[in-house]
Amino acid sequence: METDDAAPCRHAGVPPEAVVDAVVRLIQDLGGHPALLMQHGLTQQEFSAALPTAIEQIRGRKSAKNSPRRDFVATMLQGLVDRGIATALEIPKQGDGTVYRLTVKGLGDVAVIQKGAPDGTHSSVNWKVPEWAQEAYLWWVNDGMTRNPGSDVVKGVGRLRKVFFSEPRKMLDGVIFQSGLCGTVSRRCPKSQYAADFDGQAVPPPCIYVMPDDSPNGSSWNWDGATQRRFPELLLGAFGVPAEKAALFTGHVGFQAGERKTKRTVITSRFGPAQVTTFRS
């Protein structure tokens, strides 16, 4: 199946691959236009030598802008406190990491680890579940529009699968994909009819995926989505989704290990009654 099927939403303006390739060729071909480069005070040699570093700087500056992501997650979690679902929220200080501590009624302390685009090592590998967490979730706050959300989720889960099978550390209970772009005309969401007000913004329910338990035994982990968690139901309650219908909006990630060390992944997204989309590798 297409990697886009790991999530139900689509971007309104993802450039076609042919257009992206044309832009790449244009940038690469700029070095062959000395007159144009001279207008910017550059020689062909200077342009060629600086191009890789320039591209990295553009990417770095874009990813370094963490404040909007922090503000978004803080607003969402504070909404749970305001609605009485949680009793307290501890927001990390700037520079002290991105782990939010949310005290949830009937559950205890939940760790929400805020990250950016799922495809990066920092966003999907560099995390640690706090000892105090009853449940822990990686929250991808990604406004990138290079790929549709499902393809981004697949890339992030691919990195998490490597951690699952290779590192002896406590695993996440789930992953969440949502940002302020969700539900807008640029990233239309099929769950928009369930949108709720968070600090003046109408936000649809997030895409939530339950991760498998990190048991060292067996050959299949959460492949059928039978693993249960508490926080997804409570989070969805902030959007008016009743507890008995929460499973209809909660997806899952499953892994299988076959012979010859082959690994398989299933990512299922649920976004309402009889609304399911699945990616398998």
Side-chain angles (χ1 to χ4, degrees):
M1 287 190 175
E2 296 290 336
T3 57
D4 284 351
D5 290 335
C9 43
R10 299 290 184 271
H11 288 132
V14 174
E17 186 174 350
V19 173
V20 175
D21 290 341
V23 173
V24 171
R25 290 194 299 272
L26 172 62
I27 295 172
Q28 292 174 332
D29 292 346
L30 285 175
H33 297 273
L36 176 61
L37 295 176
M38 189 176 298
Q39 294 177 17
H40 294 272
L42 294 169
T43 66
Q44 288 177 289
Q45 292 78 13
E46 288 172 335
F47 176 82
S48 298
L51 181 58
T53 303
I55 292 174
E56 287 301 316
Q57 281 194 15
I58 292 172
R59 293 183 61 188
R61 289 170 184 172
K62 184 176 181 181
S63 61
K65 296 179 179 178
N66 191 38
S67 293
R69 296 196 294 264
R70 290 173 61 93
D71 293 345
F72 177 79
V73 172
T75 296
M76 297 301 297
L77 298 181
Q78 183 60 45
L80 271 66
V81 176
D82 295 342
R83 288 162 170 78
I85 297 170
T87 58
L89 171 62
E90 183 178 315
I91 299 175
K93 295 180 180 179
Q94 193 77 32
D96 288 346
T98 57
V99 180
Y100 298 74
R101 185 169 184 165
L102 186 70
T103 304
V104 181
K105 289 183 177 180
L107 175 57
D109 290 336
V110 175
V112 175
I113 308 168
Q114 171 246 309
K115 295 292 187 179
D119 63 340
T121 298
H122 177 72
S123 292
S124 296
V125 177
N126 294 343
W127 50 265
K128 180 180 179 181
V129 174
E131 294 183 2
W132 47 259
Q134 297 299 313
E135 292 187 6
Y137 294 79
L138 206 63
W139 192 316
W140 289 313
V141 187
N142 180 28
D143 284 339
M145 296 180 64
T146 303
R147 295 175 292 268
N148 280 313
S151 293
D152 272 323
V153 170
V154 169
K155 287 182 175 295
V157 169
R159 289 183 177 273
L160 291 174
R161 188 178 76 176
K162 291 180 180 178
V163 174
F164 183 88
F165 283 110
S166 63
E167 297 187 26
R169 59 165 139 160
K170 186 177 180 181
M171 288 300 296
L172 301 160
D173 293 284
V175 292
I176 300 169
F177 186 97
Q178 188 188 40
S179 76
L181 190 65
C182 294
T184 67
V185 294
S186 297
R187 185 188 283 168
R188 299 189 183 278
C189 177
K191 304 187 294 290
S192 289
Q193 61 180 305
Y194 303 96
D197 182 275
F198 285 82
D199 198 26
Q201 180 179 353
V203 183
C207 288
I208 308 172
Y209 305 87
V210 170
M211 290 285 291
D213 291 322
D214 52 347
S215 170
N217 302 315
S219 59
S220 181
W221 299 265
N222 200 33
W223 191 259
D224 58 357
T227 303
Q228 299 292 311
R229 309 290 186 210
R230 287 291 317 283
F231 185 59
E233 172 188 316
L234 299 168
L235 175 58
L236 289 166
F239 297 85
V241 177
E244 63 272 14
K245 294 186 178 180
L248 302 176
F249 294 85
T250 305
H252 77 274
V253 171
F255 299 134
Q256 280 187 343
E259 297 179 358
R260 301 177 183 176
K261 298 183 179 180
T262 58
K263 306 291 193 306
R264 298 181 64 206
T265 301
V266 61
I267 307 173
T268 293
S269 176
R270 295 185 177 87
F271 47 104
Q275 301 296 308
V276 180
T277 184
T278 297
F279 162 80
R280 290 186 178 89
S281 69

